[in-house]
Amino acid sequence: ATIAGLYLNRLNRGIPLQADPTVIYSLKEKLGKDYQVKRVLTKDLSIASPYNTYLHAGLPKGPISMPDLSSIEAVLNPSKHRYIYMCANPEAPGRHSFARTLSEHNRNAKAYQRWLNKQGVKR
């Protein structure tokens, strides 16, 4: 529900979604479904694909996966908050750090990038 609220906040403010899963989908579309992506690189954000929400505003042209019931329920009942940024949280695997400002997000992103570097994750 928090993530659904975040994406709705971005859509309602006219901010591109900039969702990494759409970039990963785009990469796998170009390089094969078995292509492993454990880290989205800056160069990946410009991959030419109608699904890439870094290049195209609004929702992608279609779904990138089959949503489960909890995702559908989250969109129908999103959390009300002012978050517009998120990134993976290295201190809580499988969870995210949320932010209202770009500077707060950049701090969260740097912490995650440091963690990825420490783990030796290059791609």
Side-chain angles (χ1 to χ4, degrees):
T2 303
I3 293 170
L6 181 146
Y7 284 132
L8 290 169
N9 286 345
R10 293 181 76 89
L11 287 170
N12 290 334
R13 295 179 191 183
I15 300 170
L17 290 180
Q18 298 180 326
D20 287 1
T22 66
V23 172
I24 294 168
Y25 182 87
S26 299
L27 286 167
K28 289 178 174 256
E29 210 182 26
K30 301 272 187 211
L31 302 171
K33 299 295 178 196
D34 294 330
Y35 187 71
Q36 292 291 312
V37 181
K38 295 181 181 178
R39 184 176 194 163
V40 174
L41 306 175
T42 302
K43 69 180 182 177
D44 300 333
L45 305 181
S46 61
I47 186 168
S49 168
Y51 292 95
N52 183 349
T53 57
Y54 279 83
L55 293 181
H56 304 286
L59 296 171
K61 73 175 199 167
I64 61 169
S65 68
M66 176 63 83
D68 62 16
L69 184 57
S70 66
S71 297
I72 294 168
E73 288 174 352
V75 171
L76 294 174
N77 301 292
S79 294
K80 305 287 187 219
H81 54 66
R82 294 184 296 145
Y83 298 134
I84 55 173
Y85 301 100
M86 71 175 165
C87 73
N89 183 341
E91 296 176 13
R95 311 224 18 120
H96 294 84
S97 297
F98 296 93
R100 293 181 180 116
T101 67
L102 182 58
S103 61
E104 188 179 11
H105 170 68
N106 287 341
R107 282 192 300 276
N108 293 337
K110 284 182 183 172
Y112 183 60
Q113 291 163 2
R114 279 193 301 273
W115 181 83
L116 287 172
N117 290 339
K118 188 175 179 181
Q119 303 304 311
V121 177
K122 304 276 188 232
R123 166 45 94 192

